[in-house]
Amino acid sequence: MSAAPFPSREALNICFAHVAYRMAERFTLRGTGISHVEVRDKAGLAAGIAEADVLLVSGLWSNDLLERAPRLRYVQSISAGIDQYDQDLFRSRGVRLANAKGVNANAVSEHAMSLILALARQLHTGRDNQARKHWRGMISDISQREDELGGKTLLIVGLGAIGNRLARLARAFDLKVVATRRDPSRGKGDADAVHSDRDLAKLLPQADIVALTCPLTPDTENLVNAETLACMKPGAHLVNVARGRVVDEPALIAALQAGRLTAAALDCTVEEPLPASSPLWAMENVIITPHTAGETRRYEDNVLDILMANLERIWRGETNLVNEIV
């Protein structure tokens, strides 16, 4: 850590950096009197970071910005994901880092449940038919009809705050919920059963629906690949509200095209925006939402709650931060 004292409330300067979120507007309404600025692009951030003691940022961040930030003492990530931050570099510079874990747990879990319901009830094909002004007739083929969730098994990969709330929602629809987590000794939460991450291949054949709610780490990158997809029950659905790189996209496309996987709902893709050339766009059995699972009208205020809690901790001389990473 830097030997210089953390700036007082009166001397502090905060920089909010995001392309869309209205952080400064919501912060001003709190009447803190703390000086702050807001930037909307990488050029603005590069120009203004030298004056920032505290930075709130996510997608606009690049690690070379630390070279231009002599005053920077604390970065509050606006997102839960932290793979864009070089944690060793932060430590060497004495810059604290916290993430926004949990701020959109309700939104993401509700989005995941919505996608599960949409696939079962085929709401996406209904919307497609609406655009075509086509009134679909009744279906004789039982396997092609809309379905019910009761009695089916949902496998949640990553029983954190989002996964646990999804489990609670899913059980209200009479789904049996099985989950994985790195440390099963932490309990099953609202799931019916919890297993180690290492048991994933054994659990996949049981699952009618697989929901990815895990963080992106070296262990979870390409976790869903040709091998794991081959383990899944024929006719299963995949829902990804985690990160795009948790899924091997070519392997997923192949499984969908072959009918091994009946349907998928993807809130995130390997490359974002998803390239127009991707076969996923044209697949009738795929729902794509543009990484909006975490969007909520409460997002800014939820992040600002963490910011203010951590500033108060720092001013009191406490060591630990809420959602501390570095």
Side-chain angles (χ1 to χ4, degrees), residues 73-94:
R73 302 292 303 281
Y74 162 38
V75 171
Q76 173 62 56
S77 179
I78 297 174
S79 66
I82 55 171
D83 48 292
Q84 69 267 47
Y85 304 102
D86 185 334
Q87 296 180 38
D88 290 335
L89 187 58
F90 271 71
R91 291 187 186 93
S92 69
R93 297 276 178 158

Side-chain angles (χ1 to χ4, degrees), residues 26-185:
R26 302 304 302 175
F27 186 71
T28 299
L29 292 175
R30 297 188 175 221
T32 65
I34 298 173
S35 175
H36 59 276
V37 297
E38 187 165 58
V39 298
R40 292 293 186 193
D41 53 33
K42 290 188 176 183
L45 178 55
I49 195 170
E51 302 301 316
D53 303 298
V54 173
L55 173 66
L56 277 78
V57 69
S58 56
L60 295 179
W61 176 258
S62 60
N63 289 300
D64 59 1
L65 288 169
L66 284 173
E67 296 286 346
R68 308 183 186 189
R71 291 174 49 175
L72 191 62
R73 302 292 303 281
Y74 162 38
V75 171
Q76 173 62 56
S77 179
I78 297 174
S79 66
I82 55 171
D83 48 292
Q84 69 267 47
Y85 304 102
D86 185 334
Q87 296 180 38
D88 290 335
L89 187 58
F90 271 71
R91 291 187 186 93
S92 69
R93 297 276 178 158
V95 178
R96 306 297 300 274
L97 173 65
N99 73 355
K101 180 178 66 175
V103 299
N104 57 3
N106 287 358
V108 178
S109 58
E110 289 169 16
H111 195 92
M113 194 67 231
S114 298
L115 293 174
I116 290 169
L117 284 163
L119 289 178
R121 302 306 306 164
Q122 299 186 25
L123 297 186
H124 53 303
T125 60
R127 185 69 178 187
D128 292 345
N129 287 335
Q130 179 180 341
R132 294 163 46 213
K133 300 180 182 180
H134 170 68
W135 187 278
R136 192 207 75 190
M138 297 183 69
I139 295 177
S140 178
D141 186 342
I142 292 175
S143 68
Q144 298 302 306
R145 294 179 194 164
E146 291 83 354
D147 206 356
E148 301 174 29
L149 295 178
K152 295 186 183 298
T153 297
L154 168 64
L155 171 59
I156 297 175
V157 181
L159 192 67
I162 293 168
N164 191 59
R165 188 162 188 272
L166 175 58
R168 193 180 319 146
L169 296 174
R171 290 180 67 182
F173 288 90
D174 296 324
L175 279 159
K176 177 184 177 182
V177 181
V178 180
T180 65
R181 67 190 315 171
R182 278 184 298 178
D183 182 6
S185 68

